[in-house]
Amino acid sequence: MEEKKLDLNSVIGFILIFGILMFMLWQNQPTPEEVEAQEQAKQEQVEAEKKVEIENETIETSSEDFSVTSATDSLKLEGLKNKLGAFAYSSTLPSASNNETQVETELFDLKFSNKGGFLSEVRLKKFDNYDSLPVFLIKDKNIGFNINFGTTDSRSLNTQDLYFEPTITENGASIIVSMKLKVSDSKFLEYRYELKPDNYMMDFTIRSQGLSDIIDSSQAVDLDWKQKMIRGDKSVEYENRYTRLTYQHDGGKIDKLSPTGDDDDIEEEVTWLSYRQHFFSSILVTEKPFKTVDLVSQNLVESGDDEAQFTKIYTSKIPLELQGGELNAPLKFYFGPTDNTVLKQYDYSLDDSIPFGWGIFGWINRFVFVPLFGFLSGMMPFGFAIIVMTILVRIVMSPVTYKSYLSQAKMKILKPEINDINEKFKDNAMKKQQATMALYSKAGASPMAGCLPGLLQLPVFYALFQFFPSAFDLRHKSFLWADDLSSYDTIAELPFKIPFYGDHISLFPILASIAIFFYMRMTTGQQVASQPTQEGMPDMGKMMKYMIYFSPIMMLVFFNNYASGLSLYYFVSNLITIGIMLVIKNFIIDEDKIHAKIQENKKKPKKENRFQKKMKDMMEQAEQQKQIQNRKK
């Protein structure tokens, strides 16, 4: 009974204690003002902790950091200032809400990217591609144009991620596009473009104002220009052969990176850089030579890739100099055709970027074929201009053809006597050689005389091989069945692709191959008939017979994807040469008279010159040494 009372008392005691505690909590609860003060204190503590986290972050920038939405939030803006320092101001301007600034001139449709300040699109209004689409040198983010630099507060920034403020004004007939990366209204980095009327060259200046205490002069300030070259021709492989990075350096020297594969170089005192896409070029010119430029060319076209939209990637890394802590680089940009007539208008030898060939080949093109073709094409259609130029070239070269055929005729007449000498001295190679040379000397003939005229024609042959693929005037000019003399002609499309040949049939290369076959039948056949066979030497006659068939096949395959203007030239050239040789053979050269003259020459005493006498003495000494060795054996 007592235990039950004790348990009841314990329960009542716990209830009373709980009630007292609840009464005390109710009495001591905070007022509404105290609750609001506590919440505010907690919020301040959270914001203070976030601020500490921001200050402790590594200063790294990305394009997302500079978005307008981040600048509208005070907390994110504070973080932006910690990343960009003074340049955070540029992201708060109205221009940061727009992507592009558009400008149109007589020659260009241009777009400037507010983010980065560079030209993001360049369309040449007067030209179309092979598929009738507009010609774009810059489009769809195929360009990177960026200055990277360090700041005095230990940041590393890239202009391509920062917002520039655009301003468009007029200066007379010129349009001025100013893109400013601002620290304040009076402190900025500026890209200044001046577009002159009817001019493919624009002035482009990189300068800074009031940034000497912001840009760290102890760190490199580098301009990086990267551009993917947009395909513009029907045959991408053919176009890629003439797509090349060319540059002038060291007071006028012209050099190029490889057109067939990846290549790189570092050059000094560079005055201009040409990013050439066959018939169009993007060229950066500097008034003051760049001290050094790091150049890279990367090939993007694989063999058989007909669908490629880009041919190469060019990259140039250019250190910029600070003067008094500020940038001031007066430059120029050329965006336009790789046309000799247009490029020669400028005072920077930009026409040297056209692949006319090196040495004598380039001279022949520049001073003979370019002005000659320009004169002819100004009076007649371009196809007929090629034919007339071909006729003129073959007429000028006809004396060389005559000399070559005359030498072959002499060798043909002397062949029976050469065969007698070979039989007479078949066991004595030295005597046979001496007797053969004596016969040639008396007759006034030489086996090399037929080769020399051919060698004289090589510079002309190679010069024209370079001229036609580089002739901008032939672009999109039609003749007969060829729609474009600067590209291949097509008479049939194949349902499959033949390696090295292609997926189409071109008629001009077929005609040129037939013509070269008959030409070689005439010339090589004559040489085979006149060429003496030397013991121990390769059978040149057999090799020449192979060449009669091998050369036309090479022409047929190789030229199927080349410019139809070039195939037209070789077709007409070989036809004319065949005609000239028939005239020489049937109306000019009389083999009986040549034979009679040779016999008269043989009767005349022939005085040996110093060289011939020295060669004869050397051969006699060699013969004596051989006889001594044979006796010892």
Side-chain angles (χ1 to χ4, degrees):
M1 192 70 177
E2 291 179 357
E3 291 178 358
K4 289 182 179 179
K5 288 181 179 179
L6 179 62
D7 293 338
L8 181 61
N9 293 332
S10 298
V11 171
I12 293 171
F14 281 126
I15 292 172
L16 290 173
I17 292 171
F18 179 75
I20 293 169
L21 289 173
M22 291 298 295
F23 178 77
M24 292 177 63
L25 289 173
W26 179 76
Q27 287 286 341
N28 294 321
Q29 67 179 347
T31 64
E33 290 79 9
E34 290 175 334
V35 172
E36 184 178 353
Q38 289 176 0
E39 291 296 330
Q40 186 175 355
K42 288 180 181 179
Q43 183 67 24
E44 289 177 353
Q45 183 179 358
V46 171
E47 291 184 1
E49 290 175 354
K50 288 183 177 180
K51 185 174 182 179
V52 170
E53 289 178 2
I54 292 171
E55 290 175 349
N56 291 333
E57 285 181 355
T58 303
I59 300 177
E60 295 179 353
T61 61
S62 64
S63 58
E64 288 78 8
D65 296 324
F66 314 137
S67 63
V68 178
T69 55
S70 65
T72 60
D73 184 270
S74 60
L75 184 60
K76 291 185 177 181
L77 179 58
E78 187 67 25
L80 190 59
K81 289 180 179 178
N82 278 280
K83 290 179 179 293
L84 300 180
F87 287 97
Y89 174 78
S90 64
S91 294
T92 67
L93 300 174
S95 58
S97 62
N98 299 319
N99 294 325
E100 297 174 327
T101 299
Q102 299 186 27
V103 175
E104 183 177 356
T105 69
E106 303 94 331
L107 302 178
F108 299 116
D109 275 335
L110 303 174
K111 291 182 181 179
F112 299 84
S113 175
N114 292 355
K115 190 175 185 178
F118 56 86
L119 273 164
S120 58
E121 186 170 294
V122 176
R123 177 199 168 198
L124 301 180
K125 296 171 65 174
K126 292 190 174 182
F127 304 100
D128 293 324
N129 280 329
Y130 72 98
D131 49 7
S132 300
L133 294 176
V135 172
F136 286 95
L137 301 187
I138 299 174
K139 190 176 186 290
D140 295 334
K141 299 180 180 180
N142 73 314
I143 188 172
F145 195 85
N146 173 55
I147 296 177
N148 57 77
F149 59 95
T151 63
T152 53
D153 53 358
S154 302
R155 290 175 172 81
S156 180
L157 301 178
N158 297 290
T159 58
Q160 64 186 3
D161 294 325
L162 302 173
Y163 286 96
F164 286 65
E165 184 177 55
T167 304
I168 301 175
T169 57
E170 293 185 2
N171 181 14
S174 298
I175 299 174
I176 309 297
V177 180
S178 173
M179 307 293 290
K180 290 182 179 179
L181 173 60
K182 289 188 172 182
V183 170
S184 66
D185 286 338
S186 60
K187 295 183 177 182
F188 50 81
L189 172 66
E190 181 186 24
Y191 293 165
R192 185 181 186 274
Y193 304 84
E194 182 174 355
L195 311 173
K196 300 175 182 178
D198 199 28
N199 199 321
Y200 289 106
M201 182 84 78
M202 63 181 72
D203 290 340
F204 172 59
T205 303
I206 300 174
R207 74 181 189 96
S208 65
Q209 178 176 300
L211 301 186
S212 58
D213 59 342
I214 296 175
I215 297 178
D216 187 354
S217 59
S218 65
Q219 297 186 43
V221 179
D222 294 325
L223 169 62
D224 293 322
W225 177 27
K226 184 176 184 179
Q227 190 167 323
K228 292 170 69 175
M229 309 312 290
I230 303 172
R231 173 186 179 176
D233 288 1
K234 187 160 54 173
S235 172
V236 66
E237 288 192 45
Y238 174 71
E239 177 181 21
N240 202 33
R241 295 189 187 103
Y242 300 95
T243 297
R244 203 166 184 182
L245 195 163
T246 309
Y247 51 95
Q248 185 185 70
H249 64 104
D250 290 333
K253 296 179 182 177
I254 304 296
D255 272 314
K256 307 172 182 66
L257 296 187
S258 173
T260 56
D262 297 348
D263 196 9
D264 60 85
D265 201 358
I266 299 176
E267 289 293 352
E268 298 179 349
E269 299 298 315
V270 176
T271 47
W272 53 255
L273 300 164
S274 172
Y275 288 5
R276 187 178 76 242
Q277 177 71 7
H278 197 182
F279 285 123
F280 297 96
S281 297
S282 305
I283 306 176
L284 179 63
V285 182
T286 175
E287 298 289 344
K288 181 181 179 182
F290 299 127
K291 285 189 175 180
T292 61
V293 179
D294 194 344
L295 304 163
V296 179
S297 174
Q298 181 183 354
N299 186 41
L300 300 178
V301 178
E302 297 181 1
S303 180
D305 184 8
D306 294 330
E307 303 302 320
Q309 296 303 308
F310 300 96
T311 53
K312 288 185 175 71
I313 297 178
Y314 298 139
T315 304
S316 299
K317 184 176 182 180
I318 308 168
L320 299 178
E321 296 182 36
L322 292 171
Q323 300 173 2
E326 302 285 356
L327 282 170
N328 186 19
L331 310 171
K332 293 180 183 293
F333 257 131
Y334 174 89
F335 295 105
T338 313
D339 184 352
N340 180 71
T341 304
V342 176
L343 292 174
K344 285 183 72 69
Q345 297 175 10
Y346 305 103
D347 299 328
Y348 304 97
S349 301
L350 298 183
D351 55 309
D352 287 337
S353 65
I354 301 175
F356 283 138
W358 54 272
I360 188 174
F361 312 114
W363 283 88
I364 293 174
N365 276 327
R366 289 176 185 276
F367 300 109
V368 179
F369 293 132
V370 169
L372 175 60
F373 186 75
F375 172 74
L376 295 174
S377 61
M379 299 188 300
M380 61 188 72
F382 286 88
F384 289 107
I386 292 175
I387 293 174
V388 173
M389 187 174 79
T390 307
I391 293 171
L392 294 176
V393 170
R394 296 318 307 169
I395 290 175
V396 171
M397 299 301 294
S398 58
V400 177
T401 305
Y402 171 76
K403 289 287 185 182
S404 177
Y405 200 90
L406 178 62
S407 175
Q408 294 173 18
K410 288 183 178 180
M411 294 300 297
K412 180 181 178 181
I413 292 169
L414 290 175
K415 188 175 181 181
E417 296 184 54
I418 297 296
N419 292 337
D420 292 340
I421 291 173
N422 290 340
E423 182 63 27
K424 182 178 180 180
F425 299 105
K426 61 182 178 180
D427 297 326
N428 193 325
M430 189 66 66
K431 288 289 186 183
K432 180 168 58 177
Q433 188 70 16
Q434 289 178 339
T436 302
M437 289 183 63
L439 176 62
Y440 288 154
S441 178
K442 290 181 179 179
S446 171
M448 294 300 296
C451 300
L452 290 176
L455 292 176
L456 292 175
Q457 296 184 67
L458 281 179
V460 176
F461 176 89
Y462 183 78
L464 288 166
F465 183 79
Q466 291 291 110
F467 169 78
F468 282 102
S470 303
F472 186 86
D473 288 341
L474 293 180
R475 187 176 181 273
H476 293 183
K477 301 300 190 300
S478 61
F479 180 68
L480 299 178
W481 57 86
D483 295 328
D484 185 351
L485 287 169
S486 71
S487 186
Y488 59 81
D489 64 289
T490 304
I491 59 169
E493 297 284 353
L494 299 176
F496 50 83
K497 186 172 184 178
I498 302 174
F500 304 106
Y501 184 73
D503 57 0
H504 63 277
I505 298 175
S506 299
L507 182 55
F508 275 128
I510 295 175
L511 297 176
S513 299
I514 294 172
I516 198 173
F517 172 77
F518 286 105
Y519 165 71
M520 294 197 72
R521 279 285 299 269
M522 293 179 64
T523 58
T524 307
Q526 178 82 357
Q527 291 177 10
V528 170
S530 62
Q531 187 70 33
T533 302
Q534 299 290 337
E535 187 178 350
M537 298 294 290
D539 190 344
M540 296 301 296
K542 186 177 291 186
M543 293 178 64
M544 290 178 180
K545 287 180 180 178
Y546 290 144
M547 289 299 296
I548 294 176
Y549 302 96
F550 181 73
S551 294
I553 292 174
M554 285 294 295
M555 170 74 75
L556 181 66
V557 174
F558 188 68
F559 281 78
N560 193 60
N561 291 294
Y562 257 69
S564 54
L566 183 62
S567 300
L568 171 62
Y569 167 80
Y570 285 130
F571 168 57
V572 176
S573 178
N574 285 317
L575 283 183
I576 296 171
T577 304
I578 290 171
I580 291 174
M581 292 188 67
L582 289 173
V583 171
I584 292 173
K585 180 181 179 180
N586 296 317
F587 300 101
I588 298 177
I589 289 182
D590 188 332
E591 292 188 2
D592 293 334
K593 290 182 178 180
I594 294 174
H595 183 268
K597 188 172 182 179
I598 288 175
Q599 298 305 318
E600 291 179 7
N601 290 338
K602 288 166 64 176
K603 296 176 183 178
K604 297 178 183 179
K606 190 71 174 180
K607 185 179 180 181
E608 294 180 341
N609 56 38
R610 293 178 61 184
F611 175 76
Q612 291 173 327
K613 187 175 186 304
K614 189 174 182 179
M615 289 294 297
K616 182 178 178 181
D617 293 341
M618 290 174 63
M619 293 175 67
E620 289 177 350
Q621 291 175 7
E623 179 66 20
Q624 291 174 3
Q625 290 290 334
K626 185 177 180 180
Q627 292 177 359
I628 293 172
Q629 290 176 358
N630 290 336
R631 292 194 192 103
K632 288 182 179 180
K633 290 179 182 179

